[in-house]
Amino acid sequence: MQTFKIGIYFRTLEPNGVPQQRVLLPVRYASTSHWILIFTAGGESRSFELHDQSGTITYIKKRHPYEVPAHYFGEYTGRLADLDQLAQYHPMNGQKYSKWINNCQHWAAHYLDILARFVKNTPHQSISITKRDTLKVIASVVDTKAGMSNNLNDALTQLPLLLAAPFLLLKS
């Protein structure tokens, strides 16, 4: 088990919706930016983000041999392999990309919801939230765009509750 800081990186978009240079934007720009989830432990980070591949949703994961600057809002204690598996089997992967209702913001929020559900049902893993204000911004942006509810399990009470994921019981 490892303890990871959980963060989100907001990046600017070009007019055509393509992510632009890697500049960490302030939280107030969350509704108009590309979202990348960051998990950091031991001085290195892992990033997970939606990728639009010719109109179909897939994801990109990267290892960064340094701590990526991000808006850190909590901690996850668990396994890197579980983080990878949750991204790999994300229910939005393979769906049609939509700038308005199936985008990087929804992918990231949904991933956090799936992670919270997974942790709730997996012994010796946990999530703690240290900055609820950042989480509220994430929830409000996704809620405003998709009309989703703000009712998540015990660990993340301010994050939108999205679809249930049947793969959560899988173990690697």
Side-chain angles (χ1 to χ4, degrees):
M1 294 290 166
Q2 226 175 338
T3 298
F4 297 86
K5 293 192 307 184
I6 306 170
I8 191 158
Y9 186 101
F10 301 119
R11 189 167 80 183
T12 58
L13 295 173
E14 293 178 9
N16 65 357
V18 174
Q20 208 171 27
Q21 60 190 12
R22 291 198 179 265
V23 174
L24 177 64
L25 295 174
V27 172
R28 69 179 179 271
Y29 293 106
S31 66
T32 58
S33 63
H34 179 67
W35 291 12
I36 304 169
L37 291 174
I38 307 293
F39 293 87
T40 299
E44 70 176 42
S45 298
R46 301 289 173 144
S47 62
F48 297 90
E49 65 184 293
L50 174 141
H51 177 67
D52 173 11
Q53 187 170 12
S54 303
T56 301
I57 294 173
T58 184
Y59 74 100
I60 298 171
K61 73 174 181 179
K62 292 182 184 171
R63 180 188 163 275
H64 307 272
Y66 53 89
E67 182 170 323
V68 171
H71 300 285
Y72 290 98
F73 58 86
E75 289 186 344
Y76 159 70
T77 300
R79 299 176 336 131
L80 178 59
D82 291 332
L83 293 174
D84 289 344
Q85 186 177 34
L86 293 175
Q88 180 181 354
Y89 294 106
H90 193 297
M92 286 177 62
N93 293 344
Q95 292 184 10
K96 183 177 166 118
Y97 175 82
S98 166
K99 185 169 149 181
W100 305 109
I101 60 169
N102 233 12
N103 61 34
C104 62
Q105 297 168 354
H106 300 107
W107 193 95
H110 196 164
Y111 181 95
L112 292 172
D113 179 52
I114 292 166
L115 177 61
R117 290 169 183 256
F118 177 76
V119 165
K120 186 175 181 177
N121 294 303
T122 306
H124 312 294
Q125 295 200 21
S126 66
I127 289 181
S128 63
I129 302 305
T130 56
K131 293 188 179 176
R132 290 204 176 273
D133 289 346
T134 302
L135 210 52
K136 285 179 183 179
V137 169
I138 294 168
S140 69
V141 168
V142 176
D143 184 51
T144 300
K145 289 187 173 184
M148 298 173 193
S149 75
N150 285 336
N151 177 23
L152 182 61
N153 299 322
D154 307 328
L156 301 174
T157 58
Q158 296 298 320
L159 194 64
L161 178 61
L162 303 171
L163 302 173
F167 65 87
L168 292 179
L169 301 176
L170 296 178
K171 300 278 186 203
S172 54

